[in-house]
Amino acid sequence: MAGRPKIFDEGQAVEKATEIFRSKGYDTASADELLSAMGIGKGSFYLAFKGGKQELYIRSIQQFSESFIKKLSDGISKSENKIEFIRQLFLMLADAPDCDKERGCYLGNALVQLSEKDENIKKTTAELLKKLQVLFTGVIAEAQEKNQIKNTEKPEILSWHLINLWNGIHVTRRMENSSEILRSMIEINLKLLK
């Protein structure tokens, strides 16, 4: 016997749960809020997410990161100036009063808040950052080949610097919300792409 069939779209349910996690955080998002947002009952929830809230959160990060990386990859591939696209991606982080989907702040916050609390979450966020680093490496290598940037440091090192900046911005935003200060800090770091 195969059990009862699913009567909900898991992808949509995870997306709805992601909105709760984004607005409330992992620790304060209650089971009732998550179930209500997802539009499912406890029985269906535990059939789909046997690991409970933690499994849902990991799935949320994975689904969000796949979507974010795809949008970012598509944006880069369509851009005439890929280095400038990356620069603007970082500079937008300074201007956002509240991080949104396009900026990937949910992922940065997940890394800062929970990656040290749980090995699975740490692994998931590390995999995301590695994908982002590989994407940045490709753009930097291409820009160096086309003499669009003068920096001759290895593309892998430059892209890890960008990942470090990505992580740092998400930490700093928690203490400093002045867009002028954040923008200045980001611009100093982005000089490596000139």
Side-chain angles (χ1 to χ4, degrees):
M1 196 170 200
R4 292 190 307 175
K6 276 188 244 171
I7 54 172
F8 68 96
D9 181 311
E10 272 190 41
Q12 285 180 348
V14 170
E15 190 173 322
K16 290 174 181 174
T18 297
E19 292 307 311
I20 300 298
F21 286 133
R22 282 182 69 229
S23 65
K24 307 272 292 189
Y26 175 79
D27 290 329
T28 57
S30 73
D32 288 340
E33 289 171 312
L34 291 165
L35 292 173
S36 176
M38 295 166 75
I40 61 175
K42 284 184 181 179
S44 295
F45 176 81
Y46 285 106
L47 277 173
F49 307 99
K50 292 178 178 42
K53 180 179 170 183
Q54 182 176 333
E55 181 180 334
L56 174 62
Y57 186 67
I58 291 170
R59 288 272 306 278
S60 169
I61 294 169
Q62 289 169 334
Q63 186 169 305
F64 188 92
S65 68
E66 287 167 12
S67 173
F68 176 70
I69 293 289
K70 183 177 181 342
K71 285 180 188 174
L72 189 56
S73 297
D74 290 348
I76 288 171
S77 67
K78 292 175 185 171
S79 176
E80 290 183 26
N81 186 332
K82 296 174 182 177
I83 287 291
E84 186 57 26
F85 184 93
I86 289 175
R87 284 179 42 77
Q88 291 306 313
L89 173 75
F90 279 93
L91 290 170
M92 283 189 315
L93 289 171
D95 298 327
D98 180 34
C99 283
D100 63 23
K101 292 179 184 179
E102 301 306 315
R103 293 172 179 85
C105 297
Y106 175 56
L107 302 169
N109 290 337
L111 178 70
V112 171
Q113 291 172 347
L114 295 171
S115 66
E116 293 304 318
K117 289 183 180 181
D118 179 87
E119 199 58 39
N120 288 330
I121 294 170
K122 184 176 182 176
K123 182 180 177 209
T124 300
T125 53
E127 287 169 0
L128 157 75
L129 292 176
K130 183 60 181 170
K131 287 178 186 175
L132 203 52
Q133 187 265 340
V134 167
L135 186 61
F136 290 158
T137 297
V139 171
I140 292 167
E142 182 181 322
Q144 286 176 332
E145 287 171 17
K146 294 180 176 180
N147 293 317
Q148 293 173 331
I149 61 173
K150 295 174 186 168
N151 195 326
T152 58
E153 183 64 68
K154 290 180 182 178
E156 294 82 7
I157 299 300
L158 293 175
S159 62
W160 276 120
H161 180 86
L162 291 177
I163 295 301
N164 190 49
L165 175 60
W166 178 269
N167 292 332
I169 290 167
H170 290 99
V171 173
T172 302
R173 282 179 61 87
R174 293 165 175 270
M175 301 172 286
E176 179 57 61
N177 60 7
S178 163
S179 60
E180 293 82 17
I181 290 173
L182 290 169
R183 178 172 277 272
S184 295
M185 179 196 75
I186 293 166
E187 284 177 342
I188 289 168
N189 280 275
L190 290 178
K191 285 181 180 179
L192 64 86
L193 295 181
K194 291 191 176 196

PDB file of all heavy atoms in Angstrom, residues 94-118:
ATOM      1  N   ALA A  94      23.223  47.783  -0.137  1.00  0.00           N
ATOM      2  CA  ALA A  94      23.335  48.968   0.722  1.00  0.00           C
ATOM      3  C   ALA A  94      22.045  49.768   0.737  1.00  0.00           C
ATOM      4  O   ALA A  94      21.733  50.420   1.738  1.00  0.00           O
ATOM      5  CB  ALA A  94      24.486  49.847   0.236  1.00  0.00           C
ATOM      6  N   ASP A  95      21.312  49.734  -0.353  1.00  0.00           N
ATOM      7  CA  ASP A  95      20.135  50.595  -0.506  1.00  0.00           C
ATOM      8  C   ASP A  95      18.835  49.956  -0.066  1.00  0.00           C
ATOM      9  O   ASP A  95      17.811  50.626  -0.020  1.00  0.00           O
ATOM     10  CB  ASP A  95      20.008  51.033  -1.973  1.00  0.00           C
ATOM     11  CG  ASP A  95      21.216  51.846  -2.416  1.00  0.00           C
ATOM     12  OD1 ASP A  95      21.778  52.574  -1.580  1.00  0.00           O
ATOM     13  OD2 ASP A  95      21.591  51.736  -3.586  1.00  0.00           O
ATOM     14  N   ALA A  96      18.856  48.677   0.220  1.00  0.00           N
ATOM     15  CA  ALA A  96      17.613  47.979   0.560  1.00  0.00           C
ATOM     16  C   ALA A  96      17.278  48.184   2.032  1.00  0.00           C
ATOM     17  O   ALA A  96      18.029  47.755   2.899  1.00  0.00           O
ATOM     18  CB  ALA A  96      17.753  46.490   0.264  1.00  0.00           C
ATOM     19  N   PRO A  97      16.146  48.874   2.329  1.00  0.00           N
ATOM     20  CA  PRO A  97      15.773  49.016   3.736  1.00  0.00           C
ATOM     21  C   PRO A  97      15.461  47.668   4.373  1.00  0.00           C
ATOM     22  O   PRO A  97      15.698  47.447   5.543  1.00  0.00           O
ATOM     23  CB  PRO A  97      14.536  49.917   3.700  1.00  0.00           C
ATOM     24  CG  PRO A  97      14.011  49.796   2.319  1.00  0.00           C
ATOM     25  CD  PRO A  97      15.181  49.465   1.436  1.00  0.00           C
ATOM     26  N   ASP A  98      14.910  46.774   3.567  1.00  0.00           N
ATOM     27  CA  ASP A  98      14.636  45.415   4.020  1.00  0.00           C
ATOM     28  C   ASP A  98      15.002  44.502   2.862  1.00  0.00           C
ATOM     29  O   ASP A  98      14.519  44.694   1.754  1.00  0.00           O
ATOM     30  CB  ASP A  98      13.161  45.243   4.382  1.00  0.00           C
ATOM     31  CG  ASP A  98      12.848  43.844   4.864  1.00  0.00           C
ATOM     32  OD1 ASP A  98      13.722  43.233   5.519  1.00  0.00           O
ATOM     33  OD2 ASP A  98      11.743  43.361   4.591  1.00  0.00           O
ATOM     34  N   CYS A  99      15.875  43.566   3.086  1.00  0.00           N
ATOM     35  CA  CYS A  99      16.331  42.707   1.996  1.00  0.00           C
ATOM     36  C   CYS A  99      15.160  41.975   1.361  1.00  0.00           C
ATOM     37  O   CYS A  99      14.264  41.515   2.041  1.00  0.00           O
ATOM     38  CB  CYS A  99      17.347  41.694   2.511  1.00  0.00           C
ATOM     39  SG  CYS A  99      18.951  42.432   2.773  1.00  0.00           S
ATOM     40  N   ASP A 100      15.205  41.852   0.057  1.00  0.00           N
ATOM     41  CA  ASP A 100      14.139  41.156  -0.645  1.00  0.00           C
ATOM     42  C   ASP A 100      14.676  39.946  -1.388  1.00  0.00           C
ATOM     43  O   ASP A 100      15.861  39.626  -1.316  1.00  0.00           O
ATOM     44  CB  ASP A 100      13.393  42.097  -1.592  1.00  0.00           C
ATOM     45  CG  ASP A 100      14.284  42.649  -2.695  1.00  0.00           C
ATOM     46  OD1 ASP A 100      15.315  42.021  -3.027  1.00  0.00           O
ATOM     47  OD2 ASP A 100      13.944  43.700  -3.244  1.00  0.00           O
ATOM     48  N   LYS A 101      13.785  39.287  -2.116  1.00  0.00           N
ATOM     49  CA  LYS A 101      14.135  38.038  -2.801  1.00  0.00           C
ATOM     50  C   LYS A 101      15.282  38.212  -3.784  1.00  0.00           C
ATOM     51  O   LYS A 101      16.122  37.345  -3.920  1.00  0.00           O
ATOM     52  CB  LYS A 101      12.912  37.509  -3.558  1.00  0.00           C
ATOM     53  CG  LYS A 101      11.793  37.043  -2.685  1.00  0.00           C
ATOM     54  CD  LYS A 101      10.630  36.563  -3.529  1.00  0.00           C
ATOM     55  CE  LYS A 101       9.461  36.181  -2.645  1.00  0.00           C
ATOM     56  NZ  LYS A 101       8.318  35.734  -3.415  1.00  0.00           N
ATOM     57  N   GLU A 102      15.302  39.346  -4.478  1.00  0.00           N
ATOM     58  CA  GLU A 102      16.294  39.542  -5.528  1.00  0.00           C
ATOM     59  C   GLU A 102      17.707  39.674  -4.963  1.00  0.00           C
ATOM     60  O   GLU A 102      18.677  39.458  -5.670  1.00  0.00           O
ATOM     61  CB  GLU A 102      15.951  40.783  -6.352  1.00  0.00           C
ATOM     62  CG  GLU A 102      14.581  40.737  -7.013  1.00  0.00           C
ATOM     63  CD  GLU A 102      14.362  39.500  -7.860  1.00  0.00           C
ATOM     64  OE1 GLU A 102      15.263  39.135  -8.642  1.00  0.00           O
ATOM     65  OE2 GLU A 102      13.284  38.887  -7.740  1.00  0.00           O
ATOM     66  N   ARG A 103      17.822  40.045  -3.734  1.00  0.00           N
ATOM     67  CA  ARG A 103      19.143  40.272  -3.152  1.00  0.00           C
ATOM     68  C   ARG A 103      19.683  39.053  -2.400  1.00  0.00           C
ATOM     69  O   ARG A 103      20.813  39.041  -1.978  1.00  0.00           O
ATOM     70  CB  ARG A 103      19.098  41.494  -2.244  1.00  0.00           C
ATOM     71  CG  ARG A 103      18.859  42.772  -3.048  1.00  0.00           C
ATOM     72  CD  ARG A 103      18.620  43.955  -2.127  1.00  0.00           C
ATOM     73  NE  ARG A 103      18.429  45.167  -2.886  1.00  0.00           N
ATOM     74  CZ  ARG A 103      17.283  45.581  -3.409  1.00  0.00           C
ATOM     75  NH1 ARG A 103      16.204  44.845  -3.265  1.00  0.00           N
ATOM     76  NH2 ARG A 103      17.199  46.705  -4.062  1.00  0.00           N
ATOM     77  N   GLY A 104      18.862  38.062  -2.198  1.00  0.00           N
ATOM     78  CA  GLY A 104      19.323  36.838  -1.560  1.00  0.00           C
ATOM     79  C   GLY A 104      19.613  36.956  -0.084  1.00  0.00           C
ATOM     80  O   GLY A 104      20.342  36.155   0.491  1.00  0.00           O
ATOM     81  N   CYS A 105      19.035  37.964   0.567  1.00  0.00           N
ATOM     82  CA  CYS A 105      19.339  38.192   1.985  1.00  0.00           C
ATOM     83  C   CYS A 105      18.859  37.055   2.881  1.00  0.00           C
ATOM     84  O   CYS A 105      19.439  36.816   3.934  1.00  0.00           O
ATOM     85  CB  CYS A 105      18.746  39.509   2.451  1.00  0.00           C
ATOM     86  SG  CYS A 105      19.466  40.906   1.593  1.00  0.00           S
ATOM     87  N   TYR A 106      17.798  36.389   2.476  1.00  0.00           N
ATOM     88  CA  TYR A 106      17.305  35.261   3.265  1.00  0.00           C
ATOM     89  C   TYR A 106      18.418  34.241   3.458  1.00  0.00           C
ATOM     90  O   TYR A 106      18.612  33.703   4.544  1.00  0.00           O
ATOM     91  CB  TYR A 106      16.103  34.640   2.550  1.00  0.00           C
ATOM     92  CG  TYR A 106      15.550  33.386   3.198  1.00  0.00           C
ATOM     93  CD1 TYR A 106      15.146  33.384   4.522  1.00  0.00           C
ATOM     94  CD2 TYR A 106      15.408  32.213   2.466  1.00  0.00           C
ATOM     95  CE1 TYR A 106      14.617  32.244   5.106  1.00  0.00           C
ATOM     96  CE2 TYR A 106      14.877  31.078   3.041  1.00  0.00           C
ATOM     97  CZ  TYR A 106      14.480  31.093   4.361  1.00  0.00           C
ATOM     98  OH  TYR A 106      13.970  29.960   4.934  1.00  0.00           O
ATOM     99  N   LEU A 107      19.184  34.017   2.407  1.00  0.00           N
ATOM    100  CA  LEU A 107      20.285  33.054   2.471  1.00  0.00           C
ATOM    101  C   LEU A 107      21.402  33.566   3.372  1.00  0.00           C
ATOM    102  O   LEU A 107      21.940  32.827   4.185  1.00  0.00           O
ATOM    103  CB  LEU A 107      20.802  32.787   1.064  1.00  0.00           C
ATOM    104  CG  LEU A 107      19.734  32.272   0.119  1.00  0.00           C
ATOM    105  CD1 LEU A 107      20.231  32.270  -1.304  1.00  0.00           C
ATOM    106  CD2 LEU A 107      19.274  30.901   0.523  1.00  0.00           C
ATOM    107  N   GLY A 108      21.727  34.827   3.203  1.00  0.00           N
ATOM    108  CA  GLY A 108      22.770  35.406   4.054  1.00  0.00           C
ATOM    109  C   GLY A 108      22.387  35.358   5.516  1.00  0.00           C
ATOM    110  O   GLY A 108      23.197  35.036   6.385  1.00  0.00           O
ATOM    111  N   ASN A 109      21.119  35.658   5.784  1.00  0.00           N
ATOM    112  CA  ASN A 109      20.651  35.610   7.167  1.00  0.00           C
ATOM    113  C   ASN A 109      20.653  34.194   7.722  1.00  0.00           C
ATOM    114  O   ASN A 109      20.985  33.969   8.886  1.00  0.00           O
ATOM    115  CB  ASN A 109      19.254  36.224   7.274  1.00  0.00           C
ATOM    116  CG  ASN A 109      19.275  37.716   7.060  1.00  0.00           C
ATOM    117  OD1 ASN A 109      20.300  38.365   7.236  1.00  0.00           O
ATOM    118  ND2 ASN A 109      18.168  38.265   6.654  1.00  0.00           N
ATOM    119  N   ALA A 110      20.288  33.226   6.891  1.00  0.00           N
ATOM    120  CA  ALA A 110      20.312  31.825   7.333  1.00  0.00           C
ATOM    121  C   ALA A 110      21.731  31.420   7.708  1.00  0.00           C
ATOM    122  O   ALA A 110      21.954  30.739   8.713  1.00  0.00           O
ATOM    123  CB  ALA A 110      19.777  30.912   6.237  1.00  0.00           C
ATOM    124  N   LEU A 111      22.678  31.874   6.920  1.00  0.00           N
ATOM    125  CA  LEU A 111      24.072  31.556   7.194  1.00  0.00           C
ATOM    126  C   LEU A 111      24.505  32.138   8.532  1.00  0.00           C
ATOM    127  O   LEU A 111      25.098  31.460   9.365  1.00  0.00           O
ATOM    128  CB  LEU A 111      24.957  32.105   6.068  1.00  0.00           C
ATOM    129  CG  LEU A 111      26.446  31.879   6.246  1.00  0.00           C
ATOM    130  CD1 LEU A 111      26.779  30.413   6.072  1.00  0.00           C
ATOM    131  CD2 LEU A 111      27.231  32.712   5.266  1.00  0.00           C
ATOM    132  N   VAL A 112      24.168  33.397   8.750  1.00  0.00           N
ATOM    133  CA  VAL A 112      24.576  34.085   9.976  1.00  0.00           C
ATOM    134  C   VAL A 112      23.875  33.501  11.198  1.00  0.00           C
ATOM    135  O   VAL A 112      24.492  33.254  12.227  1.00  0.00           O
ATOM    136  CB  VAL A 112      24.285  35.592   9.874  1.00  0.00           C
ATOM    137  CG1 VAL A 112      24.504  36.293  11.202  1.00  0.00           C
ATOM    138  CG2 VAL A 112      25.157  36.227   8.792  1.00  0.00           C
ATOM    139  N   GLN A 113      22.567  33.257  11.087  1.00  0.00           N
ATOM    140  CA  GLN A 113      21.777  32.848  12.247  1.00  0.00           C
ATOM    141  C   GLN A 113      21.970  31.404  12.659  1.00  0.00           C
ATOM    142  O   GLN A 113      22.044  31.094  13.835  1.00  0.00           O
ATOM    143  CB  GLN A 113      20.288  33.060  11.969  1.00  0.00           C
ATOM    144  CG  GLN A 113      19.885  34.501  11.874  1.00  0.00           C
ATOM    145  CD  GLN A 113      18.442  34.647  11.408  1.00  0.00           C
ATOM    146  OE1 GLN A 113      17.828  33.693  10.942  1.00  0.00           O
ATOM    147  NE2 GLN A 113      17.903  35.841  11.532  1.00  0.00           N
ATOM    148  N   LEU A 114      22.008  30.498  11.696  1.00  0.00           N
ATOM    149  CA  LEU A 114      21.845  29.101  12.059  1.00  0.00           C
ATOM    150  C   LEU A 114      22.922  28.139  11.606  1.00  0.00           C
ATOM    151  O   LEU A 114      22.903  26.983  11.997  1.00  0.00           O
ATOM    152  CB  LEU A 114      20.500  28.593  11.503  1.00  0.00           C
ATOM    153  CG  LEU A 114      19.268  29.237  12.102  1.00  0.00           C
ATOM    154  CD1 LEU A 114      18.045  28.833  11.329  1.00  0.00           C
ATOM    155  CD2 LEU A 114      19.126  28.846  13.552  1.00  0.00           C
ATOM    156  N   SER A 115      23.849  28.591  10.776  1.00  0.00           N
ATOM    157  CA  SER A 115      24.777  27.613  10.208  1.00  0.00           C
ATOM    158  C   SER A 115      25.638  26.929  11.259  1.00  0.00           C
ATOM    159  O   SER A 115      26.074  25.803  11.059  1.00  0.00           O
ATOM    160  CB  SER A 115      25.644  28.248   9.125  1.00  0.00           C
ATOM    161  OG  SER A 115      26.490  29.225   9.691  1.00  0.00           O
ATOM    162  N   GLU A 116      25.883  27.583  12.368  1.00  0.00           N
ATOM    163  CA  GLU A 116      26.698  26.951  13.412  1.00  0.00           C
ATOM    164  C   GLU A 116      25.858  26.118  14.384  1.00  0.00           C
ATOM    165  O   GLU A 116      26.394  25.353  15.167  1.00  0.00           O
ATOM    166  CB  GLU A 116      27.496  28.011  14.177  1.00  0.00           C
ATOM    167  CG  GLU A 116      28.568  28.687  13.334  1.00  0.00           C
ATOM    168  CD  GLU A 116      29.553  27.708  12.706  1.00  0.00           C
ATOM    169  OE1 GLU A 116      29.977  26.750  13.384  1.00  0.00           O
ATOM    170  OE2 GLU A 116      29.895  27.888  11.526  1.00  0.00           O
ATOM    171  N   LYS A 117      24.542  26.254  14.313  1.00  0.00           N
ATOM    172  CA  LYS A 117      23.679  25.497  15.216  1.00  0.00           C
ATOM    173  C   LYS A 117      23.393  24.095  14.705  1.00  0.00           C
ATOM    174  O   LYS A 117      23.080  23.214  15.480  1.00  0.00           O
ATOM    175  CB  LYS A 117      22.339  26.223  15.403  1.00  0.00           C
ATOM    176  CG  LYS A 117      22.423  27.483  16.209  1.00  0.00           C
ATOM    177  CD  LYS A 117      21.033  28.058  16.394  1.00  0.00           C
ATOM    178  CE  LYS A 117      21.072  29.336  17.193  1.00  0.00           C
ATOM    179  NZ  LYS A 117      19.729  29.891  17.395  1.00  0.00           N
ATOM    180  N   ASP A 118      23.454  23.921  13.393  1.00  0.00           N
ATOM    181  CA  ASP A 118      23.025  22.653  12.825  1.00  0.00           C
ATOM    182  C   ASP A 118      23.906  22.291  11.642  1.00  0.00           C
ATOM    183  O   ASP A 118      24.118  23.100  10.745  1.00  0.00           O
ATOM    184  CB  ASP A 118      21.561  22.766  12.390  1.00  0.00           C
ATOM    185  CG  ASP A 118      21.059  21.482  11.775  1.00  0.00           C
ATOM    186  OD1 ASP A 118      20.602  20.612  12.531  1.00  0.00           O
ATOM    187  OD2 ASP A 118      21.160  21.350  10.546  1.00  0.00           O
TER     188      ASP A 118
END
